[in-house]
Amino acid sequence: MKEALLYEKLPNHSVRCNLCAHHCVIPNGKLGVCRVRKNMDGVLYTLVYGRTISQNVDPVEKKPLYHFYPGSLAYSIATPGCSFRCQWCQNWQISQMPQERDLIAGSLAAPEQIVYRALETGSRSIAYTYTEPTIFFEYAYDTARLAHQAGLANIFVTNGYMTQEMLDVFHPYLDAANVDLKAFRKETYHRFVGAGLQPVLDNMKLMKKMGIWLEVTTLVIPGINDDPSELRDIAQFVAQELGAETPWHISRFFPAYKMMDTPPTPLATLQQAQQIGREEGLQYVYVGNISMEGNDTLCPNCGRALIRRHDFGVIFNRMETDKCPACDATVAGIGMSHHERNWQ
Ligand code: SF4
């Protein structure tokens, strides 16, 4: 067990964890909401340091990040646990493991081993993903620093519920993030996720300000967040507060966890959301979790297809630099040229 970072001691051997926006006050002997941080005699410990429940080599498109070294590989890791309780979680077996089974399983892997495996597999980056990476902050932080020394980039796939304090510490090592914006109604966050909306919105703006490459994902769920007015609110927020160049991924819901009776998102709803995103001025709106047209990256100026994708693969990438080869307009992103793909 490793002592946690970002907490403060309180009277009577209690502690306050300042890692995520829950700011749990944890009495002696108890766990925080994430159930992977424990107060033992007034000292907060992380129970998941080095304990991976998942390690995979994924296309970076699977995160999804479409404007960050397209076509490259991301060595992807997770530990058990999460700060959210999303009723539709697609990874609930690992994210809710400490809650549902009172168990923290996984194989031990030191940060050095993770970086070594990332290099060995030709990965361009390490992605902290599948569960909420904020809750394994200390492990991610040590790994991310070594990754930078080795020339690898770092990616967070996150619910965006960390504190500013956490981002202040981590951001020099964080190159890109995909933030899951689950809804634009605080009631939905409270009822179905067990958290608040505002910290997520604030953190996305902060990440942008810090220079972290940002893409946003919304899982569109029938009856939860598929109202066109709510989808328009999300698109407006992304366009106005984060910038029209910020990619928005609209993802298809499939029945999972506690929402097995809700049907998959109809194709028409996804197409409507994509249309709304474009009407609100977003330059890059993609549809995920489904095989359909519309996932090419088009030049925002002349409309030429620059990157063509199928599922998680890149079929072609016409970018020689970060500019459209036809009209010289800038295409937002990091490492967009196809030359960046084979970097080693
Ligand atoms: S990470 Fe968040 S949920 Fe976990 S103990 Fe800290 S404040 Fe609570």
Side-chain angles (χ1 to χ4, degrees):
M1 265 190 309
K2 190 177 174 74
E3 184 176 357
L5 298 171
L6 304 182
Y7 80 97
E8 57 193 293
K9 294 178 188 260
L10 301 175
N12 300 320
H13 286 89
S14 282
V15 299
R16 178 184 291 113
C17 177
N18 293 319
L19 181 53
C20 90
H22 285 303
H23 286 289
C24 297
V25 172
I26 311 172
N28 189 12
K30 302 292 184 191
L31 298 154
V33 167
C34 58
R35 301 188 66 80
V36 297
R37 293 167 88 74
K38 186 170 187 181
N39 176 357
M40 294 169 74
D41 296 324
V43 177
L44 187 65
Y45 290 94
T46 164
L47 307 182
V48 288
Y49 190 94
R51 191 164 287 279
T52 56
I53 193 70
S54 232
Q55 288 188 51
N56 295 300
V57 182
D58 285 339
V60 73
E61 283 74 18
K62 200 171 176 182
K63 299 303 102 192
L65 286 175
Y66 279 14
H67 291 239
F68 189 79
Y69 299 104
S72 70
L73 297 174
Y75 196 80
S76 302
I77 64 166
T79 74
C82 191
S83 47
F84 279 10
R85 300 273 176 270
C86 306
Q87 306 286 291
W88 49 77
C89 184
Q90 315 266 316
N91 288 331
W92 67 272
Q93 290 93 339
I94 56 174
S95 71
Q96 303 302 321
M97 178 187 278
Q99 166 95 350
E100 294 278 354
R101 297 172 58 196
D102 199 16
L103 175 70
I104 298 173
S107 322
L108 289 175
E112 291 81 1
Q113 288 173 290
I114 299 297
V115 172
Y116 178 80
R117 286 173 197 158
L119 291 169
E120 193 182 37
T121 53
S123 300
R124 181 68 189 82
S125 56
I126 296 179
Y128 309 86
T129 178
Y130 307 130
T131 61
E132 173 50 42
T134 302
I135 61 94
F136 59 90
F137 165 71
E138 292 81 3
Y139 183 36
Y141 184 53
D142 285 353
T143 307
R145 285 186 296 171
L146 288 176
H148 263 202
Q149 283 172 20
L152 295 162
N154 293 301
I155 296 167
F156 256 37
V157 181
T158 174
N159 60 27
Y161 208 60
M162 63 283 285
T163 53
Q164 175 168 353
E165 205 175 337
M166 181 276 190
L167 280 175
D168 283 342
V169 175
F170 205 103
H171 89 268
Y173 306 99
L174 187 55
D175 303 284
N178 186 303
V179 175
D180 197 1
L181 179 55
K182 296 169 190 292
F184 212 73
R185 304 285 178 262
K186 60 182 182 191
E187 300 76 23
T188 307
Y189 263 80
H190 283 131
R191 184 168 165 206
F192 294 101
V193 172
L197 166 64
Q198 196 58 47
V200 181
L201 303 179
D202 293 343
N203 281 332
M204 283 193 282
K205 290 193 269 187
L206 185 57
M207 284 183 198
K208 198 83 187 183
K209 210 165 125 194
M210 286 173 158
I212 298 163
W213 175 254
L214 182 65
E215 304 194 16
V216 179
T217 295
T218 301
L219 182 73
V220 179
I221 308 170
I224 300 288
N225 61 0
D226 60 342
D227 189 282
S229 70
E230 183 167 355
L231 293 168
R232 193 170 295 280
D233 287 344
I234 294 176
Q236 279 175 359
F237 171 82
V238 176
Q240 292 167 16
E241 302 290 343
L242 307 178
E245 77 287 358
T246 307
W248 184 33
H249 300 264
I250 299 154
S251 193
R252 190 182 198 200
F253 164 84
F254 288 97
Y257 194 31
K258 297 187 176 172
M259 295 195 61
M260 294 304 292
D261 295 333
T262 303
T265 323
L267 186 57
T269 307
L270 300 167
Q271 287 169 326
Q272 184 185 35
Q274 190 172 39
Q275 180 61 26
I276 288 170
R278 288 174 177 158
E279 284 167 9
E280 293 305 324
L282 291 174
Q283 294 173 343
Y284 312 105
V285 188
Y286 301 109
V287 180
N289 264 0
I290 190 169
S291 258
M292 65 176 255
E293 300 284 308
N295 278 338
D296 292 355
T297 296
L298 308 179
C299 171
N301 183 49
C302 71
R304 187 174 189 213
L306 299 175
I307 302 175
R308 175 148 297 161
R309 303 179 180 83
H310 182 71
D311 292 334
F312 298 122
V314 170
I315 307 297
F316 65 70
N317 180 355
R318 293 189 168 125
M319 306 272 296
E320 294 287 337
T321 64
D322 64 348
K323 296 196 186 305
C324 170
C327 74
D328 215 32
T330 298
V331 180
I334 309 278
M336 293 297 281
S337 156
H338 65 87
H339 299 297
E340 298 277 0
R341 181 175 171 173
N342 301 314
W343 69 289
Q344 280 180 317

